[in-house]
Amino acid sequence: WCLARLGSASFLHGDDVSCVAWSHDGRTIAAAEAHFMVRLWDAESGAERKQFDHQSRSVDSMVFSPDDKALLIAGLNGVYAIDLDTGRLTDLHKSEGPGFRFLAASPTDGRIAAAGEDGVVRMWEWPVLAAATEFPATPSAVCSLAWSTDGLLLAAGDGDGVVHLLDASTGSSKRRLEGHAPGYDVHSVAFSPDGRTLVSSAHDGATCWWDVREETLVRTFDRRSGGGGVGLLFSPRGDTLASLEEGVLVLRDGSTAREVCSLPLATGAGHGLAFSPDGRRLAMGHLSTVVVCDTAEGRFVESGPRHLGAVLSLSVSDDTGMVATGGADGTLRLWDAADGRLIRILGDPGSPLLLAAFTPDGREVVSADASGHRTRWRPGWGDRVEAVRSGGPRFHAAVVSRDW
């Protein structure tokens, strides 16, 4: 293990990540910023492979094509495809209205479905991409979209608390599933891999568990802190249901919905969920980076615990065996010097921390940011002992005397 890896910036973007997708061969993670900077990352090393920049476009949803040769993207400007070899962009449907928010790929063939504010589902066949088939899906905006594993059904959540089951071939309505409070967006829907279960989540704070064959509500459970969740996804084997709930990644048993573990994010909310094909890892967007979770061990790996940006200062305590790092993200992080494990995050994101230094006895850490704030911390408890604002120029260098 090497100290130089503390706070390294693999999977780092310049702006907040809006959605992520994992390639079918498991080798590549695609992540997009809202204003169309799409980056391709090596899923193992975190090294950036390519980037595509089309600033005039937006990205709300994204999937790999069935052959992994293109990315299909839905946004305010419409639906389009990027050839991953040449970077060439092809418009499938240009939008002059509110645009598209959701995209879903059939697990059984090359069909791609997109939907948005007008309540209409549009469908293309990959790789032909001829004129889209259209059919009305919901009376209001489509707020979520998912395909059943057998390719026969589409589930569309609307803005009035209803999930619509649609025949994916004809577009005809098969059933309205009403379990959420009226007037709330159903922002997430997900089919289990065996096709027997559909899970939906809405801004009413509830998650509904449906029996697809019986078309009945099996159970309902409340999400954390009300209705702030932004994602639901079953693992490829169906043993895990992942959800984003108010800044916490929650992993549940895919059969019983029992919570297995919860992984709080350092700050802010997560966006988008994508499992690796083997189900062992889960990727999500968090602020300006991609976070990867080991689902078996229930922990963040890759860029999860690292600073969201450069490491600007570092200090080692021989007495406590800890390393303190100050980052461009404004947080002070404490690490175990032996194994690199993140121990604690101190402070909230803000002005870059230019300085971090342990006192000689290792009991306190002094930090100073670019705006002139100096703070003393007690690492063992995470207490802020003293906060001082300098009236002079900002700090560029500091040492701690041995008689502190």
Side-chain angles (χ1 to χ4, degrees), residues 28 39 61 66 69 77 84 87 118 123 130 171 173 202 211 218 230 262 275 308 318 325 371 384 399:
T28 306
R39 301 175 194 259
S61 185
K69 293 183 178 180
N77 309 97
L84 298 185
D118 63 1
M123 196 176 300
S173 176
D211 185 303
V218 177
V230 291
S262 59
F275 272 102
L308 303 180
D318 294 332
T325 57
S371 66
R384 182 184 277 106
V399 294

Side-chain angles (χ1 to χ4, degrees), residues 8-348:
S8 62
S10 60
F11 300 115
L12 186 64
H13 279 247
D15 201 351
D16 285 0
V17 174
S18 61
C19 56
V20 295
W22 212 305
S23 65
H24 300 288
D25 64 10
R27 298 176 181 176
T28 306
I29 296 174
E33 300 165 19
H35 298 293
F36 209 102
M37 170 64 81
V38 177
R39 301 175 194 259
L40 301 183
W41 305 92
D42 185 288
E44 292 297 328
S45 68
E48 183 176 338
R49 289 179 173 176
K50 287 185 178 181
Q51 62 176 253
F52 308 100
D53 188 1
H54 296 272
Q55 292 296 329
S56 61
R57 308 288 181 127
S58 67
V59 182
D60 286 314
S61 185
M62 176 173 62
V63 296
F64 276 90
S65 64
D67 55 12
D68 281 341
K69 293 183 178 180
L71 275 174
L72 297 154
I73 293 172
L76 293 176
N77 309 97
V79 181
Y80 25 89
I82 305 175
D83 186 300
L84 298 185
D85 288 329
T86 65
R88 184 171 63 90
L89 187 146
T90 302
D91 283 299
L92 305 186
H93 184 92
K94 289 186 178 181
S95 175
E96 297 179 358
F100 294 83
R101 295 177 59 193
F102 304 99
L103 202 62
S106 168
T108 59
D109 51 37
R111 288 176 295 171
I112 308 295
E117 299 293 330
D118 63 1
V120 176
V121 170
R122 292 171 175 84
M123 196 176 300
W124 295 265
E125 190 86 25
W126 180 267
V128 178
L129 301 180
T133 302
E134 300 184 5
F135 51 81
T138 63
S140 60
V142 174
C143 301
S144 53
L145 190 66
W147 217 304
S148 65
T149 50
D150 58 10
L152 299 179
L153 295 175
L154 276 170
D158 71 12
D160 198 30
V162 179
V163 179
H164 301 259
L165 289 182
L166 309 170
D167 185 302
S169 297
T170 66
S172 61
S173 176
K174 296 182 68 67
R175 184 65 186 267
R176 287 166 53 96
L177 304 179
E178 301 182 34
H180 294 285
Y184 288 90
D185 291 354
V186 181
H187 53 67
S188 303
V189 288
F191 281 97
S192 63
D194 62 11
R196 298 176 180 177
T197 301
L198 174 69
V199 181
S200 62
S201 186
H203 285 302
D204 62 354
T207 295
C208 294
W209 199 278
W210 307 90
D211 185 303
V212 176
R213 293 179 181 176
E214 299 296 328
E215 298 177 344
T216 56
L217 180 62
V218 177
R219 64 174 66 91
T220 301
F221 57 89
D222 292 331
R223 296 163 70 85
R224 294 165 176 262
S225 305
V230 291
L232 283 173
L233 190 64
F234 277 98
S235 63
R237 294 187 301 173
D239 54 343
T240 301
L241 174 66
S243 61
L244 291 169
E245 307 178 15
E246 287 294 333
V248 179
L249 174 62
V250 180
L251 302 181
R252 300 180 184 274
D253 184 281
S255 299
T256 66
R258 178 182 60 85
E259 185 175 316
V260 177
C261 72
S262 59
L263 301 172
L265 301 171
T267 185
H271 297 280
L273 293 170
F275 272 102
S276 61
D278 61 11
R280 296 178 180 177
R281 290 175 294 167
L282 176 68
M284 56 177 278
H286 177 231
L287 300 180
S288 60
T289 191
V290 176
V291 175
V292 179
C293 170
D294 184 312
T295 58
E297 298 185 8
R299 64 180 180 87
F300 288 128
V301 295
E302 301 298 345
S303 60
R306 301 171 186 168
H307 285 283
L308 303 180
V311 175
L312 303 179
S313 53
L314 182 147
S315 178
V316 180
S317 169
D318 294 332
D319 295 326
T320 62
M322 289 191 292
V323 177
T325 57
D329 58 2
T331 63
L332 178 69
R333 303 188 181 218
L334 302 178
W335 313 79
D336 188 302
D339 59 14
R341 176 177 55 89
L342 178 65
I343 299 172
R344 187 182 295 273
I345 299 175
L346 303 176
D348 299 317

Side-chain angles (χ1 to χ4, degrees), residues 389-403:
R389 176 165 180 85
S390 171
R394 71 180 189 179
F395 298 103
H396 289 280
V399 294
V400 179
S401 68
R402 294 191 175 276
D403 57 356

